[in-house]
Amino acid sequence: MAEGIRDKVAVIGMGCTKFGERWDASPEDLVTEAFEEALADARVDRADIEAGWFGVFYDEQNVGKSAYPLSQYLRLPNIPMTRVENLCATGTEALRGAVYAVAAGACDIAVAVGCEKLKDTGFAGLPERTKGTFEDLYQPNFTPPGAFAQLAAAYTAKHRLDMGDLKRAMAHVSWKSHENGAVNPKAHLRRKISIDQALNAPMVAYPLGVLDCCGVSDGAACAIVARPEIARQMGCDRFVAVKALQLAPSNGIEMGHRSWDGAHTLTTRKAVARAYAEAGISNPLADISLTEVHDCFSITELVLMEDLGLSREGGAVADILDGRYDAAGDIPCQIDGGLKCFGHPIGASGLRMTYEIYQQLLGRAGERQLQSPKFGLAHNLGGIPNRNIAAVSIFGLSG
Amino acid sequence: MAAIGILGYGAYIPRRRMSRDAIYHAVGWAQPSLRTLASGRRAFAAWDEDAITMGVEAARRALRDLQISPDALCLASTTAPFLDRQNAGVIAAALDLSERIRTFDMAGSQRAAVSALIAACNSATETTIIAAAEKRPVKAASVLEMASADAGAAVVVGCGEPIAEFLGSASVRADFVDHYRTAQSGADYAYEERWVREAGVLPLTSKAIGAVLADTGVGVKAISTLIAPMANFRLARSIAIAAGLSPGAVQDVLTENCGVAGAAHPLLMLSAALDKARAGDLLLLIGFGQGCDAALLRVTAKIAPERALVARMLEGGATETNYLKFLAASGRLDIEWGMRAERDNRTAQTVAFNKSRDIYGFVGGLCTQCQTPQFPKSRRCVNPECAALDKQEDYRFADRNGVIKTFTEDHLAFTREPPLVYGNISFDGGGNVFMEMADFASGEARIGGAVEMRFRIKDVDETRGFHRYFWKAAPAAGGAGG
C-alpha cells in the first residue's frame, strides 16, 4: 500500500482574485492578481519557484491551449510548466500536479494557478462545447443545469419524496450560501436572498430555478507549495499541510450500467473513501470542520452531503433544514459562499476552495472565521452526474 | 399456396395535430374562403421528423410481426430530405437491415408509392418493403396548409401467404399538371380545382379503373373498397360514380384527423382499409399524379382480425392550437433562438460511417461473459463485476422499450421546440442510455414512465445544410403518442 500524500507537502502561500464579471480584466490581469498575492503570502523569491501547473478548462474561450500563457504572464526563467484540464476539477488538478512534484522530490517549491474567463461568451451560462466526433452523434444536447437537474428527479423517486419538500431543502442550500457570500468581499454574488425567492425563481431546467444555479464568473486562484522542511526553515511552526488529494473519474457505469440509481455521485463516494483513508480520518463527522463542495447547483450540494458521508443516505434534506451545514452549524459548507456565490471560474474553483480552507485553518478568515477548524475538505465534481471527475482534498495544520 | 401480394403493412401519423379552426383564426383575415375547410385536425411533423423518420416508423411497424428479411427497400416520397444522398439507405440503416438489401428512392409524383407497389408485385421474386412518407411544404393561408398532412405508411410486398393478393394493375400516363413543385417554387403551385376534376381526375381514373377491371375480369360491382387518395371525400366519391362503382365502396380519405399525406396517402388509406377488411374483399387502390395507377387486391384469410392501427392513431394525438408553433415545426417561422443555437454541428462523416450501426441501427453490445447489454458497444464490458475484453456481440436497442430513470425539462438548452427533454433511460433487459426524448408534452415525463424508441433528427447543421439522426425515447404505445 502506498504511503499517500499526507503531511508531505506544505501550502506556503495562496492568492485568489475577486470573482465576478471582470469585464475589464484580462486573463493576464487575473493570473497576476492571484499570483502576486500568493507570492507575497509565501515570502519566497520568484526565482525559487521551480515548476508550475496551469489549470484552464475552456481554452477556446480563454487563453488558448498549453501552459505558455502562464509562463509568459509570470516571466519566470523558463521553468517547466504544464497545462492541465479535467473539467470542473481542473483547479484541483493543477494543485495535484504541483503537490505530487514536491512530494516526489522533483522540486522544492512549485506553483499551481487556475484561471477562467467565462464572461466573454456573450450569454449567460457556460459556453457550448463539443463532446467529440462520436459522442456528438448521440449524446443529448444537455446543459449543466439540465444534466444536474436529473439528480433531483431521481432523488425524489429513490426516497419517495415530494418534489416540493426537496425544493425547500434546495432553497435552504442557496439561501445559506447567499448569507455566506454576502460577507465575503471577494465573492461574485453578495446579495442575500430569501427562501421564497429561491423557491419562486424562474425555471431553468426542471426542477432547478435560476437561484438553484451557481454564478458563472471570471477569476483566478493560486497556490505555492513546498516541502515541509522549507516551511519550517522559513520560521513557520504551524503551516497548512496537504492531508489527502484523491481523484476518481467515472469509468462508464453511470452512463451505461443500470446499477447506478441516478440519485448520487458515484465517483465522490470512491474519492472520499480514499481521501479519508489517506488523511487518517475515521470519523469525518468529528474531524471535518468545514467543507467546500462542488455546489454548481443546489441539488448537487444536497446529494454530496450524503456522498461525503456527512449525512446518512436519505438524510440530507433533514440535516440541511436543521442548519447543520449553515455558518453556525456543526460542519459549515461553503462558508465563503461556494460556487453559488463566490462564483465558478472553472479552472480556478478547486484552488479557490483550497484558498478558503487555508485562510480558515490559519485563522485569517475575518468576519467568517470559524472557531479552531481541524480539517477542511474541498470537493470538485467535473462533468455531470452521468459522467464526471470527482476530486477530494483534505487540509489541516501541520504537527 | 404461395401468391403474390401484400405480406404486411404499417402506418405512422405524427402525434401533433393542428386545429384547422386555429389555422383559420390565424390566416382567415387574408383568405376568408378557408373557413369552409376550418374543421377537424391535420397531422403535422415535429421539427425533428421528416420523410426519412416517418418512413422508418411506418416500415418498422410493417415489418414488426413478420419473420422476413426483405430483399429490397424503397422510399417513395416527393419530400425526401436529401436530393443526392440515398434516403432509402438511411431507412435501411435505421432498420438495421442486411447489408445485401437493394435500396432505392422513388419520387417525382404523388403516385410514386403505388407505382413502386405495382413494380414490386410484377417482379415478386423479391420481397420488397415500400415505405412512403411525406412532410409537405405548404404556404401559409393556402388550401394545402389546411388539407395536407405529414405522415408515413409502408407495405411489404412479395411472394408467400399475403394478407391481400395482387390480382393486377393498369396505368394511364398523362402529363396533366394539376400542380407541380420545383426547387424554385418551394411549395405546390396548384391549378383550378374544377378543371382538375373534370379534365384530369375523373377521366384518367376511369380509364385506369376500366382497364384493370377488364384485365382481371372483375365486375365493377364486386369492388368492396375504392381507395382514392384525393383531397376530399367528395372527389373520391365522384370517381366511384364516374367509374360505375357503388358509392358505398368509397374509403374515407382521413380528412377529419389527418389530412392528405401526398405520396404516402395511398398507402396510408390502404392501411386504414386493411384494418377493416375481411377475407374476400376486393380493394381497388388508386395512385394519381400525372396519370393514374390502379391496382386490384383481394384480401385473404391471412388477414388478422380486430385491427384498428390507423383508427387508433387518428383518434389519438395532441391537438395544437398555437399557429406559430405549427409554423415553427416546419421551419416556416425563424424566431430568435439565442446564441446557443450557433453551436457548430459539423458531422465527421468518417466517424458517422464507421459508427453507422451504433447510431442509425442503435446497435450496442451484449457482453457474452456476463450478459450485460450496453451502449455504445465498447472493448471492455461496462459491468464493474465483469470488465471482460472484446466479448461483446451486437445488441439492438431500437426495438426495446424502457423506463425513465431520470429526466429534466431544460429551458436553457437549444431546441426548436423548447423545453429540451432528456434523461437516463433504463432499458428492459438491461442497459442505460442518457438520451433525448421526443413527443413528451410539458409535465408528461415522469420517473418510471414507459418509453419506446423513435428514429428522429438529432442535430441540424445550418451552416452546411446537413442534418443527422439518432434515436429518442418517446411515450410508449398505449400513451397518447401517434
Side-chain angles (χ1 to χ4, degrees):
Chain A
M1 176 81 187
E3 288 175 15
I5 204 81
R6 176 165 49 153
D7 290 329
K8 289 182 175 170
V9 178
V11 183
I12 61 169
M14 287 210 71
C16 183
T17 69
K18 173 164 173 59
F19 284 6
E21 291 169 333
R22 300 286 304 265
W23 308 117
D24 58 346
S26 66
E28 179 183 11
D29 294 329
L30 296 172
V31 166
T32 304
E33 194 176 322
F35 175 73
E36 293 302 326
E37 183 188 345
L39 190 66
D41 181 30
R43 291 174 294 152
V44 295
D45 196 272
R46 279 173 70 243
D48 295 334
I49 299 171
E50 296 165 287
W53 276 261
F54 188 33
V56 173
F57 176 35
Y58 286 107
D59 47 38
E60 62 275 51
Q61 190 65 41
N62 192 344
V63 296
K65 297 186 191 301
S66 93
Y68 163 72
L70 180 65
S71 186
Q72 179 180 307
Y73 301 155
L74 303 188
R75 304 282 192 211
L76 292 172
N78 311 95
I79 61 169
M81 285 198 175
T82 306
R83 180 222 163 179
V84 294
E85 183 276 301
N86 230 346
L87 302 172
C88 291
T90 295
T92 299
E93 198 62 279
L95 179 66
R96 204 164 73 99
V99 165
Y100 274 33
V102 168
C107 56
D108 286 342
I109 301 177
V111 64
V113 180
C115 177
E116 210 75 47
K117 195 81 177 71
L118 292 176
K119 296 309 299 180
D120 294 332
T121 51
F123 58 86
L126 294 177
E128 294 279 334
R129 65 185 171 91
T130 174
K131 300 171 192 77
T133 51
F134 177 38
E135 298 214 348
D136 278 348
L137 302 179
Y138 68 93
Q139 285 279 359
N141 288 324
F142 63 81
T143 63
F148 278 90
Q150 318 265 335
L151 283 173
Y155 192 90
T156 56
K158 181 179 177 182
H159 298 295
R160 299 179 188 285
L161 263 180
D162 181 73
M163 186 60 88
D165 292 336
L166 182 62
K167 281 276 284 183
R168 268 185 288 281
M170 288 157 57
H172 187 103
V173 166
S174 297
W175 164 83
K176 170 265 303 163
S177 293
H178 276 265
E179 291 286 310
N180 295 347
V183 293
N184 183 349
K186 287 191 174 182
H188 179 174
L189 305 173
R190 302 200 59 206
R191 189 171 54 85
K192 293 187 178 188
I193 61 164
S194 69
I195 296 283
D196 278 348
Q197 279 176 304
L199 285 172
N200 299 317
M203 195 62 76
V204 175
Y206 173 84
L208 302 181
V210 70
L211 288 175
D212 290 300
C213 308
C214 74
V216 173
S217 328
D218 302 327
C222 174
I224 298 173
V225 296
R227 288 196 296 118
E229 292 79 359
I230 291 176
R232 290 193 191 96
Q233 283 163 18
M234 288 163 54
C236 296
D237 293 334
R238 287 170 64 78
F239 53 85
V240 173
V242 180
K243 301 291 181 182
L245 246 179
Q246 287 292 338
L247 196 77
S250 294
N251 64 7
I253 289 174
E254 303 97 312
M255 200 63 103
H257 195 248
R258 283 207 299 188
S259 56
W260 180 56
D261 61 20
H264 71 283
T265 68
L266 188 154
T267 52
T268 301
R269 296 185 180 200
K270 301 270 187 191
V272 81
R274 290 182 208 142
Y276 287 149
E278 187 170 44
I281 292 174
S282 56
N283 184 0
L285 285 175
D287 288 342
I288 300 293
S289 309
L290 74 152
T291 61
E292 290 287 336
V293 306
H294 201 81
D295 58 329
C296 49
F297 302 97
S298 57
I299 185 63
T300 323
E301 181 174 320
L302 187 146
V303 304
L304 287 172
M305 293 302 103
E306 297 176 15
D307 294 340
L308 294 172
L310 302 177
S311 285
R312 66 170 174 79
E313 190 97 12
V317 167
D319 290 345
I320 285 166
L321 292 173
D322 286 348
R324 179 193 279 184
Y325 306 114
D326 293 353
D330 291 344
I331 311 171
C333 179
Q334 331 293 55
I335 190 66
D336 62 353
L339 300 177
K340 177 76 187 79
C341 292
F342 202 134
H344 186 25
I346 297 174
S349 280
L351 287 161
R352 182 274 302 165
M353 296 171 172
T354 307
Y355 177 78
E356 179 64 16
I357 291 169
Y358 174 84
Q359 302 290 3
Q360 290 282 350
L361 290 171
L362 294 176
R364 299 181 187 165
E367 215 180 320
R368 42 178 211 287
Q369 181 63 48
L370 302 172
Q371 201 180 350
S372 315
K374 186 176 179 189
F375 292 120
L377 180 150
H379 163 273
N380 282 141
L381 195 74
I384 59 173
N386 265 78
R387 182 170 55 190
N388 55 69
I389 317 281
V392 174
S393 32
I394 298 174
F395 305 92
L397 290 172
S398 63
Chain B
M1 203 179 85
I4 292 164
I6 293 171
L7 305 173
Y9 68 98
Y12 173 72
I13 301 174
R15 175 180 179 158
R16 289 158 182 77
R17 310 292 159 80
M18 186 64 202
S19 154
R20 293 195 182 95
D21 185 55
I23 297 177
Y24 173 71
H25 272 94
V27 302
W29 62 271
Q31 292 293 350
S33 62
L34 291 177
R35 186 170 183 174
T36 55
L37 301 173
S39 68
R41 311 181 297 170
R42 59 148 294 177
F44 70 101
W47 76 267
D48 59 354
E49 296 184 284
D50 63 10
I52 285 179
T53 69
M54 292 187 285
V56 167
E57 198 51 39
R60 66 199 284 241
R61 291 175 186 197
L63 286 167
R64 189 166 285 164
D65 299 323
L66 299 176
Q67 303 302 314
I68 282 176
S69 177
D71 304 298
L73 182 150
C74 164
L75 172 66
S77 176
T78 70
T79 54
F82 291 95
L83 295 176
D84 192 348
R85 174 204 183 184
Q86 197 192 58
N87 298 281
V90 182
I91 295 182
L95 298 172
D96 198 35
L97 296 176
S98 157
E99 191 183 35
R100 294 292 312 280
I101 194 170
R102 191 164 55 83
T103 52
F104 58 100
D105 290 341
M106 286 279 276
S109 167
Q110 302 284 296
R111 66 183 162 115
V114 179
S115 301
L117 184 149
I118 291 169
C121 287
N122 284 333
S123 61
T125 52
E126 288 184 332
T127 303
T128 304
I129 177 154
I130 298 155
E134 206 86 286
K135 183 175 182 177
R136 302 183 77 181
V138 293
K139 280 188 171 164
S142 66
V143 170
L144 273 177
E145 185 181 43
M146 285 283 195
S148 299
D150 305 326
V155 290
V156 182
V157 173
C159 188
E161 295 186 330
I163 55 174
E165 184 182 354
F166 177 72
L167 301 182
S169 69
S171 296
V172 176
R173 68 154 186 87
D175 184 29
F176 181 72
V177 186
D178 57 336
H179 78 282
Y180 68 87
R181 189 172 74 247
T182 64
Q184 287 92 331
S185 72
D188 288 14
Y189 188 86
Y191 223 73
E192 186 185 13
E193 285 173 38
R194 287 195 305 282
W195 176 71
V196 171
R197 182 179 68 240
E198 300 301 328
V201 170
L202 297 182
L204 292 169
T205 54
S206 288
K207 274 183 206 165
I209 291 170
V212 72
L213 293 179
D215 288 356
T216 54
V218 171
V220 69
K221 296 295 179 195
I223 301 299
S224 320
T225 306
L226 171 70
I227 300 162
M230 295 293 140
N232 56 64
F233 184 76
R234 223 173 39 252
L235 188 53
R237 199 165 175 275
S238 307
I239 293 172
I241 292 166
L245 274 72
S246 158
V250 182
Q251 165 79 16
D252 177 30
V253 297
L254 313 179
T255 303
E256 182 60 24
N257 280 299
C258 180
V260 181
H265 211 57
L267 299 192
L268 187 61
M269 285 180 63
L270 174 62
S271 299
L274 287 169
D275 267 355
K276 289 189 285 190
R278 286 177 298 190
D281 283 358
L282 286 169
L283 312 181
L284 182 56
L285 173 67
I286 302 294
F288 185 83
Q290 296 77 53
C292 181
D293 291 324
L296 192 59
L297 302 157
R298 181 169 51 218
V299 178
T300 73
K302 297 300 289 183
I303 191 86
E306 298 293 324
R307 302 161 318 278
L309 306 177
V310 176
R312 272 207 302 276
M313 280 188 289
L314 289 170
E315 287 159 15
T319 303
E320 181 61 66
T321 56
N322 184 334
Y323 182 71
L324 294 181
K325 283 183 76 175
F326 169 60
L327 289 183
S330 57
R332 288 183 290 158
L333 179 72
D334 197 16
I335 66 168
E336 172 59 62
W337 296 111
M339 288 186 186
R340 282 175 197 281
E342 295 168 10
R343 182 184 51 222
D344 190 343
N345 285 319
R346 186 174 194 277
T347 300
Q349 298 294 352
T350 44
V351 178
F353 178 66
N354 288 341
K355 299 289 189 181
S356 175
R357 279 199 82 198
D358 301 57
I359 299 302
Y360 288 175
F362 205 176
V363 174
L366 176 74
C367 178
T368 54
Q369 201 102 316
C370 72
Q371 304 303 312
T372 299
Q374 47 207 284
F375 182 87
K377 196 180 192 179
S378 53
R379 299 292 300 272
R380 273 200 193 275
C381 177
V382 72
N383 178 1
E385 311 293 321
C386 176
L389 179 66
D390 293 336
K391 293 289 183 195
Q392 292 176 40
E393 59 185 34
D394 295 339
Y395 184 89
R396 183 163 146 94
F397 283 89
D399 295 324
R400 292 170 195 279
N401 288 6
V403 296
I404 299 173
K405 183 159 91 178
T406 73
F407 75 97
T408 191
E409 291 178 5
D410 190 336
H411 297 268
L412 190 63
F414 164 62
T415 165
R416 284 170 179 76
E417 193 181 354
L420 185 68
V421 185
Y422 53 94
N424 285 286
I425 302 302
S426 194
F427 279 84
D428 299 349
N432 182 90
V433 181
F434 188 45
M435 62 194 303
E436 290 181 17
M437 304 191 196
D439 289 351
F440 277 92
S442 189
E444 188 181 355
R446 61 178 179 81
I447 302 278
V451 293
E452 62 183 38
M453 297 302 116
R454 292 282 170 82
F455 190 71
R456 292 293 178 94
I457 293 171
K458 171 73 169 65
D459 295 299
V460 178
D461 180 351
E462 301 274 7
T463 310
R464 301 166 191 86
F466 189 75
H467 60 268
R468 56 194 181 210
Y469 301 86
F470 184 54
W471 295 80
K472 298 182 183 179

